Amino acid sequence: DVYKRQTQAWPASDLLVRHWRAGTVLDALPEGLRPATRAEGYTIQAELEKLSAKPLWGWKIAATSTAGQRHIGVDGPLAGRLLAEMVHADGATLPFGANRMRVAEAEFAFRMARDLPPRVEAYTVEEVLGAVAALHTAIEVPDSRFVDFVTAGAAQLLADNACAHQFVLGPEAPATWRDMDLAAHRVIGRVTGRFEREGVGANVLGDPRIALAWLANELSRHGMTLAAGQVVTTGTCLVPMDVAPSDEVEVEYGALGRVGIRFAAA
């Protein structure tokens, strides 16, 4: 099994990356390269780190709500890698490119202060929060390399990096976030001149802090470390916002701050 995963990983990842760079899509990975399990999907995904000239920047969590899981046809959350080259600063203008999902997501992101390595015992929410350096506001702009990501299945979506694409890290929130109820915290997303949408932290696996602990334990189960300095973005707090070229997106987190971006014209 390990040999199979390793020998299929590079050619499967290479095929997905070529479509990613070309802005094209495929129906499915060829049968001989197609992952059958989450472990095989993560092995293919791991090849992406070789594309980056920098250490792995962080992690994303996809499908942290029941609606999100239904939307991509999975029965639970998925973890993906954030590459440094795909991360943008607050206020940046992002290329729109061939993005087919065409959505922006309002998220809570946590920056880690120390490593959480693999272990047999599950990490508690309290342990994981104790390893956090800071909370940030954030926007994720996902995309997929599959024609129909709804039917691709969890293993292939993991190989496709859990629909990771572009990510925007907003300002660090005041340290008082630790005393706040993030599950009840109100988040407002706006696409300027078109619509406003509201959500709460509870839309992220019940609480963004629970989602962070899920990520630490998911990595641990698969022999991976959530490392100091990495950022984890925990999933969208509101229904993903439809976006188009030239749109401006702003997300307000009340006392925790705001984050905004613009998409370049077509």
Side-chain angles (χ1 to χ4, degrees):
D1 268 1
V2 172
Y3 177 75
K4 179 193 171 188
R5 290 205 302 270
Q6 290 174 342
T7 54
Q8 79 176 164
W10 184 84
S13 178
D14 181 62
L15 179 59
L16 287 165
V17 167
R18 281 190 279 122
H19 280 281
W20 188 21
R21 286 174 168 164
T24 55
V25 290
L26 68 167
D27 290 324
L29 285 166
E31 191 171 337
L33 301 180
R34 195 177 307 157
T37 65
R38 289 176 81 94
E40 290 180 4
Y42 280 125
T43 302
I44 295 169
Q45 183 191 118
E47 292 292 313
L48 286 171
E49 289 189 43
K50 298 175 184 177
L51 296 178
S52 180
K54 300 177 182 179
L56 182 63
W57 195 85
W59 299 88
K60 65 157 287 183
I61 313 175
T64 49
S65 69
T66 303
Q69 290 162 19
R70 283 198 304 266
H71 181 58
I72 60 172
V74 298
D75 59 4
L78 308 172
R81 285 162 162 82
L82 297 175
L83 303 184
E85 289 81 356
M86 301 304 290
V87 176
H88 302 267
D90 179 31
T93 297
L94 276 60
F96 198 88
N99 191 311
R100 292 171 61 256
M101 281 191 166
R102 301 172 74 92
V103 295
E105 300 180 342
E107 311 206 358
F108 288 97
F110 297 90
R111 182 164 46 83
M112 304 307 295
R114 64 172 187 269
D115 290 0
L116 294 176
R119 71 182 197 188
V120 174
E121 182 185 0
Y123 286 102
T124 66
V125 174
E126 290 71 24
E127 284 179 293
V128 175
L129 287 174
V132 169
L135 172 71
H136 289 255
T137 60
I139 295 172
E140 192 197 358
V141 182
D143 200 15
S144 175
R145 270 53 70 179
F146 291 114
V147 172
D148 186 4
F149 49 82
V150 173
T151 60
Q156 286 201 106
L157 290 174
L158 286 170
D160 187 33
N161 204 20
C163 302
H165 185 49
Q166 298 166 319
F167 178 72
V168 180
L169 185 69
E172 181 177 326
T176 50
W177 71 265
R178 291 186 184 272
D179 301 317
M180 300 171 70
D181 182 357
L182 295 185
H185 196 79
R186 186 166 166 255
V187 178
I188 300 173
R190 299 185 186 91
V191 177
T192 305
R194 294 211 288 119
F195 64 84
E196 179 175 296
R197 192 164 290 166
E198 184 175 328
V200 291
N203 291 329
V204 183
L205 280 184
D207 190 311
R209 295 165 292 196
I210 292 173
L212 178 65
W214 175 89
L215 186 280
N217 286 312
E218 176 77 348
L219 297 186
S220 178
R221 280 190 292 273
H222 291 276
M224 297 180 278
T225 295
L226 176 54
Q230 291 180 345
V231 170
V232 178
T233 192
T234 51
T236 187
C237 300
L238 43 80
V239 174
M241 296 176 283
D242 298 328
V243 294
S246 301
D247 273 346
E248 292 183 40
V249 179
E250 183 179 56
V251 185
E252 297 282 354
Y253 293 78
L256 297 178
R258 58 159 300 284
V259 59
I261 54 169
R262 176 195 292 270
F263 288 101

